[in-house]
Amino acid sequence: MHKSYWISLIILLLPHTAAAQTGTCDQAQAEAFLDAGNVRARIFNNGGLFWRGSPHVYEVPKGSGLNANFANGLWVGGMINDSLRVAATRYGLWEFWPGPLDDAGNPPINCNLYDKIWEIRKKDIEAFIRTGDISSRLHNWPWQLGAPVIDGDGNPNNYNLQAGDLPELYGDQRLWWIMNDRGNVHQSSNSNAIGLEVHASAHAFSHPGFISNSTFYEYRLINKNKAPFNQAFVGVFGHNDLGNFDDNYVGSDSLLHLGFVYNADNEDEGGEGYGVAPPAIGITIFETTQAESDNFDNNRNGLTDEPEEKLGAYGVMQFFGGGCVTCEPVEAADYYNYLQSRWKDSTALVQGSWGYQRDDMPKREVTRFAYSGDPVNRSFWSAFNNDGLGNELIPPGARRFSISSGPYNLAPTDTVLFRFAIVWSRGTDHLDSVTQLKQEVQEIRDFATSFYTPQSIEQNIPEPIESPLLGFDQNFPNPFSQSTTLRYSLPQTMQVRLAVYDLLGREVAVLVNAQQEAGIYTAQFDAGSLPAGIYLARIELDFLRFTQRMVLIK
């Protein structure tokens, strides 16, 4: 290890006995590009994404020079001892700084030591397994700071590549960084610090198909305050200039936990525009931390307070540029209201017009999802039908929105897991792009677990384990280059269907479709001419269903 690394680690481990204090850290400067797939995205470690001064970079297709996004960012707000605390911004005065917090909630003495974004790629792990060569990315993986590691030697307190440890790789490229909100004064929200440590990552997939047009994100937010952080919401700010910035609309879909932007007509004009048949782009929140019993269907699956129910999207809020009551947030209360789908004056979002209940208007229905009507069939409430009569009341323009999850109640040291994906889709026209977007978001959500499953490259081919219990074991070998074996056991006679799907949800092979007696079975899957990538083996046993993720390499 380099000498500077050990110096920074010693500083991190120095004891702090004083109460937590705000630091004097400089704004973060590190950046990296997420570019394994068909997206090239500029990533920062300051709480913002894609823009930190010109240029903004969320280029899709990669190499086209066309950008589908201007700026996104992390918003967090909640209560500590009845005092509102917020860490959020839009275009500057970032409210997250590099580095961890110590046990007392203090930031590093020198945040610059952590002003980095670490990267790992699939090719780094493959090269190490083939040749033993350790790339600088493998060598410098910051496991001491909490960067996730697949434990191969049975010791979770080390990082020993030769003994089998490997970085936890999501997708074909993963970026990882660590932030805190106590590194300096909150000048954007004018709030006192929360006391959050954030382990953040972004990843992408290189294999063909619409998955390559998507990028995936994970924030683990740890409450390092000595007091509980209650009624907390976590969200993403979206300023999605979809090509040309001034001809966009916002929509939402509560069942898909989705906020999205699409073009107002079928031509995206100008040098920055996508031209005819422009795409749509959306942010979908995956199920996150477990919900509390609240008599509400948080994950929108038709059930209320079911065991292990997870929180999804709480709401989608659209707002405008400027300083009005329905415009951009300025103070901590503004950010917190938007995270709860409320306007800056704390009034609720309502259906119709631009969502604000004026005194001279008929009473409108309260909602948490702005423009939730389907624009394709011009249903109410969409940009093409704002009043229920089919009238278009609001002209298109540059659109800003937030999508949030919550509420959370975090005791000291508790963690919130917050995952979302940005999905870009292009159909035969601007509205078919919305249809395509929703279909592709649904397919991603159907296989969400696989997108956050570590893509480990096994050093040894595992042997099948004999077991009389019901089970569906990981295929072996995995990864595989041509064929692989799947193994399952049945405790009694059952109807069995074993099939293989690609990540688009298309069935590529049926290996078993029969009634079988109790026992242990194996099935061979020959990939034939299928392209390299991730495949899903799904077994259906009477009313039970299990899925395994398989990696085909060629």
Side-chain angles (χ1 to χ4, degrees):
M1 296 290 183
H2 296 293
K3 182 178 179 181
S4 62
Y5 176 84
W6 289 111
I7 292 174
S8 66
L9 182 60
I10 291 170
I11 292 174
L12 169 65
L13 296 176
L14 285 174
H16 296 270
T17 56
Q21 299 181 10
T22 299
T24 57
C25 294
D26 297 326
Q27 288 284 347
Q29 298 299 316
E31 65 178 72
F33 284 91
L34 187 67
D35 59 5
N38 197 32
V39 180
R40 184 171 184 263
R42 193 178 177 208
I43 305 296
F44 309 110
N45 61 341
N46 58 13
L49 295 169
F50 317 136
W51 184 88
R52 189 186 57 194
S54 184
H56 64 284
V57 181
Y58 195 87
E59 185 186 48
V60 200
K62 184 172 64 180
S64 67
L66 299 172
N67 288 283
N69 210 339
F70 181 76
N72 287 167
L74 175 64
W75 286 6
V76 187
M79 308 298 293
I80 292 182
N81 295 328
D82 298 322
S83 171
L84 176 61
R85 306 290 181 90
V86 167
T89 188
R90 303 180 314 286
Y91 308 112
L93 300 176
W94 316 104
E95 297 193 343
F96 288 94
W97 290 266
L101 298 177
D102 66 14
D103 290 342
N106 290 304
I109 296 172
N110 183 2
C111 287
N112 294 336
L113 293 171
Y114 308 92
D115 192 6
K116 301 175 183 177
I117 298 176
W118 289 268
E119 178 183 16
I120 194 69
R121 291 182 183 254
K122 180 180 178 181
K123 64 182 181 182
D124 296 311
I125 297 177
E126 290 178 332
F128 169 67
I129 295 203
R130 285 196 312 268
T131 68
D133 292 339
I134 299 176
S135 69
S136 60
R137 290 189 285 245
L138 274 174
H139 177 75
N140 294 325
W141 191 245
W143 65 275
Q144 298 94 333
L145 298 178
V149 170
I150 296 174
D151 182 18
D153 64 358
N155 181 358
N157 298 315
N158 73 344
Y159 175 58
N160 189 337
L161 290 164
Q162 287 80 4
D165 292 340
L166 289 172
E168 185 182 77
L169 174 63
Y170 291 163
D172 294 284
Q173 177 197 16
R174 186 179 189 184
L175 305 175
W176 190 91
W177 62 102
I178 187 168
M179 308 181 294
N180 71 85
D181 86 309
R182 204 183 281 277
N184 211 315
V185 176
H186 291 208
Q187 297 184 59
S188 182
S189 66
N190 296 311
S191 166
N192 289 329
I194 300 168
L196 289 177
E197 178 178 303
V198 182
H199 297 189
S201 75
H203 66 279
F205 296 83
S206 64
H207 49 76
F210 72 83
I211 301 304
S212 185
N213 295 329
S214 305
T215 53
F216 300 82
Y217 305 84
E218 176 181 283
Y219 293 108
R220 293 181 181 269
L221 301 98
I222 307 168
N223 179 20
K224 290 291 188 76
N225 201 305
K226 294 299 183 183
F229 183 42
N230 293 326
Q231 303 172 51
F233 291 82
V234 182
V236 182
F237 160 68
H239 184 160
N240 294 72
D241 286 348
L242 185 58
N244 180 19
F245 72 92
D246 63 354
D247 59 352
N248 297 324
Y249 282 134
V250 163
S252 69
D253 189 318
S254 63
L255 296 180
L256 292 174
H257 305 258
L258 173 69
F260 61 93
V261 172
Y262 60 102
N263 212 71
D265 57 34
N266 200 39
E267 184 174 0
D268 191 28
E269 301 88 352
E272 295 183 342
Y274 276 93
V276 176
I281 189 169
I283 300 174
T284 180
I285 294 178
F286 296 114
E287 294 179 354
T288 58
T289 298
Q290 186 166 328
E292 298 180 2
S293 295
D294 55 7
N295 199 33
F296 185 74
D297 180 14
N298 291 284
N299 55 8
R300 253 87 66 194
N301 66 351
L303 303 174
T304 300
D305 290 341
E306 71 270 25
E308 299 184 356
E309 180 186 23
K310 302 296 180 64
L311 288 173
Y314 181 86
V316 173
M317 189 69 171
Q318 186 213 307
F319 49 93
F320 302 92
C324 62
V325 71
T326 59
C327 294
E328 291 183 294
V330 177
E331 300 289 337
D334 301 340
Y335 289 101
Y336 191 54
N337 277 326
Y338 281 157
L339 287 168
Q340 298 176 86
S341 292
R342 306 183 71 87
W343 295 109
K344 289 164 61 174
D345 61 0
S346 297
T347 60
L349 177 70
V350 296
Q351 292 187 2
S353 188
W354 62 87
Y356 186 80
Q357 180 70 61
R358 296 198 319 266
D359 292 339
D360 61 346
M361 295 169 53
K363 206 71 174 175
R364 298 184 181 272
E365 185 176 347
V366 172
T367 182
R368 296 207 301 255
F369 288 85
Y371 296 96
S372 55
D374 186 356
V376 177
N377 59 28
R378 287 171 160 72
S379 63
F380 180 75
W381 174 40
S382 69
F384 297 112
N385 189 350
N386 284 324
D387 60 356
L389 302 175
N391 296 318
E392 179 183 331
L393 301 179
I394 299 177
R399 289 293 180 253
R400 300 159 178 84
F401 74 95
S402 62
I403 180 169
S404 61
S405 180
Y408 303 99
N409 293 305
L410 283 78
T413 74
D414 278 359
T415 298
V416 162
L417 174 63
F418 181 74
R419 290 170 167 170
F420 65 95
I422 301 176
V423 183
W424 180 98
S425 304
R426 192 168 196 173
T428 58
D429 60 46
H430 67 125
L431 294 180
D432 186 53
S433 292
V434 174
T435 300
Q436 286 284 101
L437 174 69
K438 291 187 176 184
Q439 290 174 351
E440 292 169 1
V441 166
Q442 183 62 67
E443 291 174 0
I444 288 175
R445 296 189 64 82
D446 286 344
F447 297 102
T449 302
S450 68
F451 296 116
Y452 288 91
T453 298
Q455 187 168 168
S456 60
I457 311 298
E458 299 293 343
Q459 299 189 45
N460 300 296
I461 297 174
E463 295 294 330
I465 302 172
E466 297 298 324
S467 172
L469 301 176
L470 175 66
F472 182 36
D473 295 333
Q474 183 67 57
N475 61 299
F476 58 97
N478 185 48
F480 64 101
S481 60
Q482 184 57 45
S483 65
T484 188
T485 300
L486 296 118
R487 176 187 170 279
Y488 58 96
S489 56
L490 306 177
Q492 62 190 38
T493 299
M494 305 180 82
Q495 182 66 32
V496 179
R497 190 175 193 275
L498 175 59
V500 178
Y501 299 81
D502 65 15
L503 281 178
L504 300 181
R506 297 175 299 199
E507 188 176 273
V508 299
V510 177
L511 307 183
V512 179
N513 190 8
Q515 189 175 74
Q516 294 181 322
E517 297 179 352
I520 297 173
Y521 296 86
T522 59
Q524 194 80 10
F525 172 54
D526 188 343
S529 60
L530 289 172
I534 299 173
Y535 291 87
L536 302 169
R538 179 183 294 172
I539 190 168
E540 298 176 13
L541 309 170
D542 288 344
F543 57 89
L544 301 173
R545 177 182 294 178
F546 303 92
T547 301
Q548 294 283 4
R549 178 176 172 274
M550 308 185 297
V551 180
L552 173 62
I553 55 176
K554 292 193 172 182

